[in-house]
Structure formats: structure tokens, C-alpha cells
Amino acid sequence: AADIEEGKTVDKWKVYQDACAARSLLGVRDRALAVLSALLSFYPANDLSEASNLIVFPSNAQLTARANGIAGTTLRENLAILVQAGLIHRHDSPNGKRYARKDRDGTIEAAYGFSLAPLLARSEEIALLA
């Protein structure tokens, strides 16, 4: 994800559809894809962009609500599956919480949560697998 070319953008829902089509090749199950959909819903723009902050930081309660009310243990298990499959990356804070720190202008200077950068970096690969 660190090698994303400058200016690269991709429609987040197109990448999601490709990941759904290639789920068996990626080693993810339907519940993990529901969690990925929930994570993508927290990203404000329609396009994942190299120039923007690709970290989303929802609480487990918010993720559970958007992932059709799955249990907390199931949520954590499927987040781990997404990380293992290389579709998201954990960006943990020192205390393990998910949040963003903003400067005086309201610009996010540090965010802790789940990075969607691997989806952007692997978008072409996922499309080929689909």
C-alpha cells in the first residue's frame, strides 16, 4: 500500500464488487465482505484516492450496525480475515482505540483505525481475479 502511484483513484464500490466476485480466490467469506462493505460506507467519498486519508475509524458498535447486526466476536474474526487477505490494514493507536486527531483547521493530522489503502493498491489485481 505504500507504493500507490501518485494521483491514483478508484471507485470504492467497483473494487468491492470485484472483491465479491473473487472472494474464493482472495480467501474471504460472505460475512467478511459484509464487514468490508460496512467499512467502505464510513469512507466519505465515492472514490478511494491516494491523495486523501484512507483510514476509517468506526467503533465496533457502528460497524456491527452497518454489517447487519453481526456479533462482536464474528466482527473481530472477519476483520482479521480481511487483514490476512490483504484487503485492509490495521493502523492501531497506542491505546488500541480508533479515532482521528485533527488540527486547528479541522484537517486530520493522525488517524487510527482501518486503512483502505490496500484496496486501492490492489484494485487492478482484484479486478483481474474477478
Side-chain angles (χ1 to χ4, degrees):
D3 298 330
I4 298 172
E5 64 188 62
E6 190 173 332
K8 182 175 182 179
T9 63
V10 68
D11 183 303
K12 66 183 178 183
W13 298 117
K14 172 69 172 114
V15 175
Y16 174 73
Q17 290 171 345
D18 290 343
C20 288
R23 72 177 167 266
S24 61
L25 295 172
L26 291 169
V28 295
R29 53 187 178 205
D30 292 341
R31 284 291 199 169
L33 291 170
V35 172
L36 181 60
S37 174
L39 284 170
L40 287 171
S41 74
F42 286 99
Y43 187 75
N46 200 41
D47 289 336
L48 298 175
S49 172
E50 173 272 333
S52 65
N53 179 11
L54 293 169
I55 297 176
V56 293
F57 39 91
S59 68
N60 282 355
Q62 291 172 324
L63 270 174
T64 296
R66 291 199 190 176
N68 303 319
I70 65 174
T73 54
T74 306
L75 174 68
R76 288 186 293 279
E77 180 181 327
N78 285 292
L79 285 168
I81 288 170
L82 291 171
V83 169
Q84 185 177 11
L87 298 178
I88 62 171
H89 175 73
R90 287 183 189 269
H91 187 74
D92 293 328
S93 68
N95 64 1
K97 302 290 184 188
R98 296 179 212 132
Y99 63 92
R101 186 177 317 133
K102 298 181 180 182
D103 62 14
R104 292 180 186 249
D105 299 328
T107 305
I108 295 175
E109 58 182 29
Y112 302 99
F114 299 101
S115 174
L116 302 174
L119 280 177
L120 178 60
R122 296 182 63 196
S123 61
E124 292 89 2
E125 174 193 350
I126 295 169
L128 286 173
L129 291 173

PDB file of all heavy atoms in Angstrom, residues 1 16-17 27 30 41 50 54-55 69 73-74 78 83 89-90 93-94 104 109-110 121 126-127:
ATOM      1  N   ALA A   1       0.815  -1.201   0.000  1.00  0.00           N
ATOM      2  CA  ALA A   1       0.000   0.000   0.000  1.00  0.00           C
ATOM      3  C   ALA A   1       0.856   1.261   0.000  1.00  0.00           C
ATOM      4  O   ALA A   1       0.386   2.306  -0.410  1.00  0.00           O
ATOM      5  CB  ALA A   1      -0.945   0.002   1.205  1.00  0.00           C
ATOM      6  N   TYR A  16     -15.169  -3.179  -4.453  1.00  0.00           N
ATOM      7  CA  TYR A  16     -15.950  -4.071  -3.600  1.00  0.00           C
ATOM      8  C   TYR A  16     -16.633  -5.160  -4.438  1.00  0.00           C
ATOM      9  O   TYR A  16     -16.593  -6.338  -4.086  1.00  0.00           O
ATOM     10  CB  TYR A  16     -16.979  -3.280  -2.793  1.00  0.00           C
ATOM     11  CG  TYR A  16     -17.905  -4.162  -2.001  1.00  0.00           C
ATOM     12  CD1 TYR A  16     -17.456  -4.825  -0.858  1.00  0.00           C
ATOM     13  CD2 TYR A  16     -19.218  -4.361  -2.405  1.00  0.00           C
ATOM     14  CE1 TYR A  16     -18.293  -5.663  -0.149  1.00  0.00           C
ATOM     15  CE2 TYR A  16     -20.065  -5.191  -1.698  1.00  0.00           C
ATOM     16  CZ  TYR A  16     -19.599  -5.832  -0.566  1.00  0.00           C
ATOM     17  OH  TYR A  16     -20.429  -6.664   0.140  1.00  0.00           O
ATOM     18  N   GLN A  17     -17.248  -4.776  -5.537  1.00  0.00           N
ATOM     19  CA  GLN A  17     -17.902  -5.758  -6.417  1.00  0.00           C
ATOM     20  C   GLN A  17     -16.891  -6.763  -6.962  1.00  0.00           C
ATOM     21  O   GLN A  17     -17.179  -7.961  -7.035  1.00  0.00           O
ATOM     22  CB  GLN A  17     -18.620  -5.049  -7.571  1.00  0.00           C
ATOM     23  CG  GLN A  17     -19.843  -4.287  -7.137  1.00  0.00           C
ATOM     24  CD  GLN A  17     -20.413  -3.421  -8.260  1.00  0.00           C
ATOM     25  OE1 GLN A  17     -19.761  -3.179  -9.271  1.00  0.00           O
ATOM     26  NE2 GLN A  17     -21.633  -2.948  -8.059  1.00  0.00           N
ATOM     27  N   GLY A  27      -9.791 -15.676  -0.581  1.00  0.00           N
ATOM     28  CA  GLY A  27      -9.864 -16.374   0.702  1.00  0.00           C
ATOM     29  C   GLY A  27     -10.725 -15.685   1.723  1.00  0.00           C
ATOM     30  O   GLY A  27     -10.457 -15.774   2.921  1.00  0.00           O
ATOM     31  N   ASP A  30     -18.498 -14.549   2.869  1.00  0.00           N
ATOM     32  CA  ASP A  30     -19.555 -13.554   2.719  1.00  0.00           C
ATOM     33  C   ASP A  30     -19.632 -12.570   3.887  1.00  0.00           C
ATOM     34  O   ASP A  30     -19.819 -11.381   3.675  1.00  0.00           O
ATOM     35  CB  ASP A  30     -20.914 -14.238   2.536  1.00  0.00           C
ATOM     36  CG  ASP A  30     -21.014 -14.975   1.217  1.00  0.00           C
ATOM     37  OD1 ASP A  30     -20.213 -14.680   0.308  1.00  0.00           O
ATOM     38  OD2 ASP A  30     -21.889 -15.845   1.094  1.00  0.00           O
ATOM     39  N   SER A  41     -18.493   2.046   3.750  1.00  0.00           N
ATOM     40  CA  SER A  41     -19.558   3.031   3.949  1.00  0.00           C
ATOM     41  C   SER A  41     -19.118   4.173   4.865  1.00  0.00           C
ATOM     42  O   SER A  41     -19.726   5.236   4.857  1.00  0.00           O
ATOM     43  CB  SER A  41     -20.817   2.359   4.485  1.00  0.00           C
ATOM     44  OG  SER A  41     -20.668   2.002   5.852  1.00  0.00           O
ATOM     45  N   GLU A  50      -5.436   8.225  -3.593  1.00  0.00           N
ATOM     46  CA  GLU A  50      -4.106   8.248  -2.984  1.00  0.00           C
ATOM     47  C   GLU A  50      -3.874   9.565  -2.246  1.00  0.00           C
ATOM     48  O   GLU A  50      -3.177   9.596  -1.239  1.00  0.00           O
ATOM     49  CB  GLU A  50      -3.056   8.041  -4.086  1.00  0.00           C
ATOM     50  CG  GLU A  50      -1.624   8.190  -3.659  1.00  0.00           C
ATOM     51  CD  GLU A  50      -1.123   9.631  -3.745  1.00  0.00           C
ATOM     52  OE1 GLU A  50      -1.641  10.399  -4.559  1.00  0.00           O
ATOM     53  OE2 GLU A  50      -0.210   9.949  -2.967  1.00  0.00           O
ATOM     54  N   LEU A  54      -6.987   7.524   3.820  1.00  0.00           N
ATOM     55  CA  LEU A  54      -7.717   6.291   3.535  1.00  0.00           C
ATOM     56  C   LEU A  54      -8.040   5.483   4.786  1.00  0.00           C
ATOM     57  O   LEU A  54      -8.386   4.312   4.703  1.00  0.00           O
ATOM     58  CB  LEU A  54      -6.921   5.427   2.553  1.00  0.00           C
ATOM     59  CG  LEU A  54      -6.789   6.006   1.143  1.00  0.00           C
ATOM     60  CD1 LEU A  54      -5.764   5.225   0.329  1.00  0.00           C
ATOM     61  CD2 LEU A  54      -8.130   6.009   0.445  1.00  0.00           C
ATOM     62  N   ILE A  55      -7.941   6.109   5.957  1.00  0.00           N
ATOM     63  CA  ILE A  55      -8.207   5.403   7.207  1.00  0.00           C
ATOM     64  C   ILE A  55      -9.609   5.741   7.699  1.00  0.00           C
ATOM     65  O   ILE A  55      -9.980   6.913   7.797  1.00  0.00           O
ATOM     66  CB  ILE A  55      -7.159   5.754   8.275  1.00  0.00           C
ATOM     67  CG1 ILE A  55      -5.785   5.284   7.812  1.00  0.00           C
ATOM     68  CG2 ILE A  55      -7.519   5.125   9.618  1.00  0.00           C
ATOM     69  CD1 ILE A  55      -4.649   5.644   8.724  1.00  0.00           C
ATOM     70  N   GLY A  69     -25.893  -6.221  11.999  1.00  0.00           N
ATOM     71  CA  GLY A  69     -26.027  -6.677  13.378  1.00  0.00           C
ATOM     72  C   GLY A  69     -25.264  -7.935  13.740  1.00  0.00           C
ATOM     73  O   GLY A  69     -25.687  -8.672  14.617  1.00  0.00           O
ATOM     74  N   THR A  73     -17.833 -10.932  18.320  1.00  0.00           N
ATOM     75  CA  THR A  73     -16.763 -11.901  18.044  1.00  0.00           C
ATOM     76  C   THR A  73     -16.675 -12.198  16.550  1.00  0.00           C
ATOM     77  O   THR A  73     -15.583 -12.332  16.007  1.00  0.00           O
ATOM     78  CB  THR A  73     -16.972 -13.212  18.825  1.00  0.00           C
ATOM     79  OG1 THR A  73     -18.279 -13.709  18.551  1.00  0.00           O
ATOM     80  CG2 THR A  73     -16.799 -13.005  20.308  1.00  0.00           C
ATOM     81  N   THR A  74     -17.824 -12.280  15.900  1.00  0.00           N
ATOM     82  CA  THR A  74     -17.846 -12.510  14.456  1.00  0.00           C
ATOM     83  C   THR A  74     -17.248 -11.321  13.723  1.00  0.00           C
ATOM     84  O   THR A  74     -16.512 -11.489  12.744  1.00  0.00           O
ATOM     85  CB  THR A  74     -19.287 -12.772  13.972  1.00  0.00           C
ATOM     86  OG1 THR A  74     -19.839 -13.837  14.728  1.00  0.00           O
ATOM     87  CG2 THR A  74     -19.330 -13.120  12.501  1.00  0.00           C
ATOM     88  N   ASN A  78     -13.927 -11.536  11.340  1.00  0.00           N
ATOM     89  CA  ASN A  78     -13.970 -11.164   9.926  1.00  0.00           C
ATOM     90  C   ASN A  78     -13.060  -9.990   9.608  1.00  0.00           C
ATOM     91  O   ASN A  78     -12.533  -9.903   8.496  1.00  0.00           O
ATOM     92  CB  ASN A  78     -15.404 -10.917   9.480  1.00  0.00           C
ATOM     93  CG  ASN A  78     -16.156 -12.218   9.327  1.00  0.00           C
ATOM     94  OD1 ASN A  78     -15.854 -13.000   8.440  1.00  0.00           O
ATOM     95  ND2 ASN A  78     -17.096 -12.485  10.220  1.00  0.00           N
ATOM     96  N   VAL A  83      -7.813  -8.472   7.027  1.00  0.00           N
ATOM     97  CA  VAL A  83      -6.401  -8.092   7.180  1.00  0.00           C
ATOM     98  C   VAL A  83      -5.507  -9.184   6.603  1.00  0.00           C
ATOM     99  O   VAL A  83      -4.579  -8.906   5.837  1.00  0.00           O
ATOM    100  CB  VAL A  83      -6.058  -7.816   8.664  1.00  0.00           C
ATOM    101  CG1 VAL A  83      -4.550  -7.676   8.864  1.00  0.00           C
ATOM    102  CG2 VAL A  83      -6.782  -6.570   9.160  1.00  0.00           C
ATOM    103  N   HIS A  89      -5.769  -2.811   6.248  1.00  0.00           N
ATOM    104  CA  HIS A  89      -4.622  -2.828   7.148  1.00  0.00           C
ATOM    105  C   HIS A  89      -5.029  -2.142   8.446  1.00  0.00           C
ATOM    106  O   HIS A  89      -5.696  -1.105   8.416  1.00  0.00           O
ATOM    107  CB  HIS A  89      -3.436  -2.089   6.506  1.00  0.00           C
ATOM    108  CG  HIS A  89      -2.264  -1.954   7.396  1.00  0.00           C
ATOM    109  ND1 HIS A  89      -1.441  -3.001   7.719  1.00  0.00           N
ATOM    110  CD2 HIS A  89      -1.784  -0.875   8.062  1.00  0.00           C
ATOM    111  CE1 HIS A  89      -0.501  -2.572   8.543  1.00  0.00           C
ATOM    112  NE2 HIS A  89      -0.688  -1.286   8.752  1.00  0.00           N
ATOM    113  N   ARG A  90      -4.661  -2.735   9.560  1.00  0.00           N
ATOM    114  CA  ARG A  90      -4.922  -2.107  10.863  1.00  0.00           C
ATOM    115  C   ARG A  90      -3.876  -1.020  11.110  1.00  0.00           C
ATOM    116  O   ARG A  90      -2.694  -1.239  10.909  1.00  0.00           O
ATOM    117  CB  ARG A  90      -4.824  -3.121  11.997  1.00  0.00           C
ATOM    118  CG  ARG A  90      -5.950  -4.081  12.069  1.00  0.00           C
ATOM    119  CD  ARG A  90      -5.761  -4.991  13.297  1.00  0.00           C
ATOM    120  NE  ARG A  90      -6.712  -6.056  13.300  1.00  0.00           N
ATOM    121  CZ  ARG A  90      -7.905  -5.988  13.886  1.00  0.00           C
ATOM    122  NH1 ARG A  90      -8.255  -4.907  14.516  1.00  0.00           N
ATOM    123  NH2 ARG A  90      -8.728  -7.006  13.827  1.00  0.00           N
ATOM    124  N   SER A  93      -3.822   2.654  17.332  1.00  0.00           N
ATOM    125  CA  SER A  93      -3.354   3.741  18.195  1.00  0.00           C
ATOM    126  C   SER A  93      -2.610   3.115  19.376  1.00  0.00           C
ATOM    127  O   SER A  93      -2.716   1.905  19.618  1.00  0.00           O
ATOM    128  CB  SER A  93      -4.545   4.553  18.704  1.00  0.00           C
ATOM    129  OG  SER A  93      -5.325   3.783  19.599  1.00  0.00           O
ATOM    130  N   PRO A  94      -1.880   3.929  20.131  1.00  0.00           N
ATOM    131  CA  PRO A  94      -1.159   3.379  21.280  1.00  0.00           C
ATOM    132  C   PRO A  94      -2.071   2.698  22.305  1.00  0.00           C
ATOM    133  O   PRO A  94      -1.669   1.742  22.954  1.00  0.00           O
ATOM    134  CB  PRO A  94      -0.475   4.606  21.887  1.00  0.00           C
ATOM    135  CG  PRO A  94      -0.328   5.549  20.749  1.00  0.00           C
ATOM    136  CD  PRO A  94      -1.531   5.324  19.882  1.00  0.00           C
ATOM    137  N   ARG A 104      -6.068  22.546  14.251  1.00  0.00           N
ATOM    138  CA  ARG A 104      -6.978  23.685  14.488  1.00  0.00           C
ATOM    139  C   ARG A 104      -7.878  23.996  13.299  1.00  0.00           C
ATOM    140  O   ARG A 104      -8.956  24.544  13.452  1.00  0.00           O
ATOM    141  CB  ARG A 104      -6.170  24.925  14.864  1.00  0.00           C
ATOM    142  CG  ARG A 104      -5.513  24.793  16.202  1.00  0.00           C
ATOM    143  CD  ARG A 104      -4.733  26.056  16.521  1.00  0.00           C
ATOM    144  NE  ARG A 104      -3.991  25.883  17.731  1.00  0.00           N
ATOM    145  CZ  ARG A 104      -4.276  26.517  18.856  1.00  0.00           C
ATOM    146  NH1 ARG A 104      -5.280  27.352  18.905  1.00  0.00           N
ATOM    147  NH2 ARG A 104      -3.541  26.312  19.922  1.00  0.00           N
ATOM    148  N   GLU A 109      -4.788  15.109  11.172  1.00  0.00           N
ATOM    149  CA  GLU A 109      -3.327  15.003  11.164  1.00  0.00           C
ATOM    150  C   GLU A 109      -2.858  13.597  11.541  1.00  0.00           C
ATOM    151  O   GLU A 109      -1.760  13.201  11.174  1.00  0.00           O
ATOM    152  CB  GLU A 109      -2.682  16.049  12.074  1.00  0.00           C
ATOM    153  CG  GLU A 109      -3.110  16.005  13.511  1.00  0.00           C
ATOM    154  CD  GLU A 109      -2.476  17.094  14.357  1.00  0.00           C
ATOM    155  OE1 GLU A 109      -2.168  18.169  13.828  1.00  0.00           O
ATOM    156  OE2 GLU A 109      -2.289  16.852  15.557  1.00  0.00           O
ATOM    157  N   ALA A 110      -3.682  12.852  12.273  1.00  0.00           N
ATOM    158  CA  ALA A 110      -3.363  11.460  12.605  1.00  0.00           C
ATOM    159  C   ALA A 110      -4.676  10.704  12.761  1.00  0.00           C
ATOM    160  O   ALA A 110      -5.584  11.175  13.428  1.00  0.00           O
ATOM    161  CB  ALA A 110      -2.551  11.380  13.888  1.00  0.00           C
ATOM    162  N   ALA A 121      -4.386  -0.001  -3.654  1.00  0.00           N
ATOM    163  CA  ALA A 121      -3.139  -0.522  -4.218  1.00  0.00           C
ATOM    164  C   ALA A 121      -3.367  -1.786  -5.049  1.00  0.00           C
ATOM    165  O   ALA A 121      -2.713  -1.981  -6.074  1.00  0.00           O
ATOM    166  CB  ALA A 121      -2.145  -0.814  -3.096  1.00  0.00           C
ATOM    167  N   ILE A 126      -7.284  -7.219  -8.028  1.00  0.00           N
ATOM    168  CA  ILE A 126      -8.603  -7.734  -7.627  1.00  0.00           C
ATOM    169  C   ILE A 126      -9.530  -7.795  -8.848  1.00  0.00           C
ATOM    170  O   ILE A 126     -10.284  -8.758  -9.002  1.00  0.00           O
ATOM    171  CB  ILE A 126      -9.197  -6.873  -6.494  1.00  0.00           C
ATOM    172  CG1 ILE A 126      -8.338  -7.007  -5.230  1.00  0.00           C
ATOM    173  CG2 ILE A 126     -10.639  -7.260  -6.206  1.00  0.00           C
ATOM    174  CD1 ILE A 126      -8.657  -6.013  -4.138  1.00  0.00           C
ATOM    175  N   ALA A 127      -9.448  -6.790  -9.721  1.00  0.00           N
ATOM    176  CA  ALA A 127     -10.264  -6.803 -10.941  1.00  0.00           C
ATOM    177  C   ALA A 127      -9.901  -7.986 -11.836  1.00  0.00           C
ATOM    178  O   ALA A 127     -10.780  -8.634 -12.412  1.00  0.00           O
ATOM    179  CB  ALA A 127     -10.089  -5.483 -11.701  1.00  0.00           C
TER     180      ALA A 127
END
